[in-house]
Amino acid sequence: MAGAAAGQPAWRPEKPVEIIVPTAAGGINDQISRLMQRVLQDGKLVPTPMVILNKSGGNQSLAVVYLTQKAPDPHYLLYATATVFTNQLAGLTPLGYTDLTPLACLVVDHTVITVAADSPIRTLRDLIDRLKSDPGAVSFGMVSRGGPNHLALSQAVRSAGIDPRKLRTVVFKTNAESNMAVVGGHIQAVVSSASAALPQVQAGQTRMLAIAAAGRAAGSLAQVPTMREQGISATGIANWRAIFGPKGMSAAQIAYWDNALARMASTEEWNRELDGTNMSRYFLRGREFSRYLDEEFAATRAVMVDLGLAK
């Protein structure tokens, strides 16, 4: 990519850059996008203004469609999540990550399983034992059936010899609603991203049973045992957060954003602010990110096929 760019005139943005966020204002995705906007602008890493467009709807599909309509204009960037995989695999949209230009992976928000603070389910092993006796004994709240968190849960119970298709799942509009439902005793557990679950845990209303990660997380999540520590050989489907451009960008345009985003990720402000979200920093530049996407797509597809969710 660098070699191809070297033979072309240097490119830089010539008009305002739009960052498309697939969720409503105020959520964690919006917060990270605005952090990105601030660091790139204040650090003068981008010479033109940057604006945020919250394009929620269709579980991210509307934002993806909007970006593809702007191709190949490199002044439009999409902040996206792993739902790009699951929407396409479930047949909800024909558009997938190959219809976009991967620019950088920013963070991974690991999946956690939480229960009410006073729940008799004390550990992941307690939960697995209940499910082995009756796969429908526990109601799991989530925001998307077939989404990364649901797939991480399914991968975990499958590794314990339980058919994930027999689990009782309840879909909520937001993680806040599912967490309130478990606090109120309407459901027994929630599977969500760690960042979404943490506020209720810190308030003393819920407890995390396990995190789906290869190793323990840092910061506020350091005391949460991994699934693997508790005898479940699953690390979860990665719940990544990343930046894409439209398809058809030139090598020089890709190289510009590759460099700008890498410089952003090395700043003190970016890393300090990310530490407060309890997400795991996982920065990958474009070419490495493309390889990572291929691997994660294959893993996601395997779990969705197992669940009967892939079309």
Side-chain angles (χ1 to χ4, degrees):
M1 179 176 65
Q8 301 183 25
W11 180 88
R12 60 188 302 185
E14 301 163 344
K15 62 181 183 179
V17 173
E18 195 168 275
I19 303 174
I20 307 155
V21 184
T23 51
I28 189 65
N29 294 328
D30 182 68
Q31 292 172 32
I32 294 180
S33 297
R34 292 181 189 277
L35 170 62
M36 173 179 151
Q37 174 195 37
R38 186 169 70 247
V39 174
L40 288 172
Q41 283 194 156
D42 292 354
K44 303 195 183 313
L45 301 177
V46 175
T48 58
M50 302 188 75
V51 296
I52 300 291
L53 174 67
N54 294 96
K55 195 77 172 174
S56 59
N59 199 21
Q60 194 170 213
S61 294
L62 291 185
V64 174
V65 169
Y66 180 78
L67 179 67
T68 60
Q69 291 171 342
K70 303 298 181 181
D73 192 335
H75 295 87
Y76 293 87
L77 305 178
L78 172 66
Y79 175 100
T81 73
T83 307
V84 167
F85 287 164
T86 57
N87 283 347
Q88 182 187 29
L89 287 167
L92 301 178
T93 174
L95 298 174
Y97 75 102
T98 56
D99 297 294
L100 312 171
T101 298
L103 296 176
C105 185
L106 303 178
V107 294
V108 171
D109 196 2
H110 294 295
T111 296
V112 294
I113 300 174
T114 58
V115 296
D118 59 355
S119 172
I121 303 173
R122 307 302 301 177
T123 67
L124 181 61
R125 291 308 318 180
D126 290 344
L127 177 64
I128 293 298
D129 289 343
R130 286 196 179 204
L131 296 175
K132 283 185 174 180
S133 298
D134 177 8
V138 176
S139 295
F140 291 92
M142 59 188 66
V143 295
S144 175
R145 187 174 286 109
N149 296 315
H150 181 205
L151 299 184
L153 172 66
S154 301
Q155 186 185 54
V157 299
R158 172 65 79 189
S159 72
I162 300 164
D163 186 349
R165 292 171 294 186
K166 295 182 179 180
L167 297 180
R168 290 175 61 196
T169 58
V170 182
V171 177
F172 293 84
K173 290 182 179 179
T174 66
N175 282 305
E177 290 180 2
S178 62
N179 276 290
M180 289 306 298
V182 80
V183 170
H186 305 294
I187 56 177
Q188 289 74 53
V190 173
V191 56
S192 71
S193 62
S195 62
L198 195 58
Q200 294 289 350
V201 173
Q202 292 175 327
Q205 295 183 309
T206 59
R207 286 184 291 106
M208 291 185 186
L209 298 181
I211 186 168
R216 289 210 180 194
S220 302
L221 301 171
Q223 300 306 311
V224 183
T226 66
M227 292 182 175
R228 185 170 292 173
E229 285 179 62
Q230 300 178 76
I232 302 300
S233 57
T235 56
I237 300 298
N239 206 351
W240 46 262
R241 305 285 194 268
I243 300 298
F244 291 85
K247 195 169 185 177
M249 291 171 59
S250 71
Q253 292 163 350
I254 294 171
Y256 175 86
W257 285 117
D258 188 78
N259 180 59
L261 293 169
R263 291 173 66 192
M264 175 197 74
S266 68
T267 64
E268 180 181 347
E269 181 182 6
W270 173 261
N271 288 284
R272 182 181 66 250
E273 294 293 327
L274 276 190
D275 285 343
T277 69
N278 290 289
M279 290 187 177
S280 298
R281 292 191 295 273
Y282 197 71
F283 186 81
L284 299 175
R285 298 180 81 135
R287 183 175 295 178
E288 188 178 4
F289 180 39
S290 293
R291 292 193 293 267
Y292 174 80
L293 285 170
D294 291 339
E295 295 169 358
E296 285 295 314
F297 183 79
T300 301
R301 185 179 186 281
V303 178
M304 290 187 68
V305 167
D306 183 43
L307 289 172
L309 295 175
K311 300 297 184 182

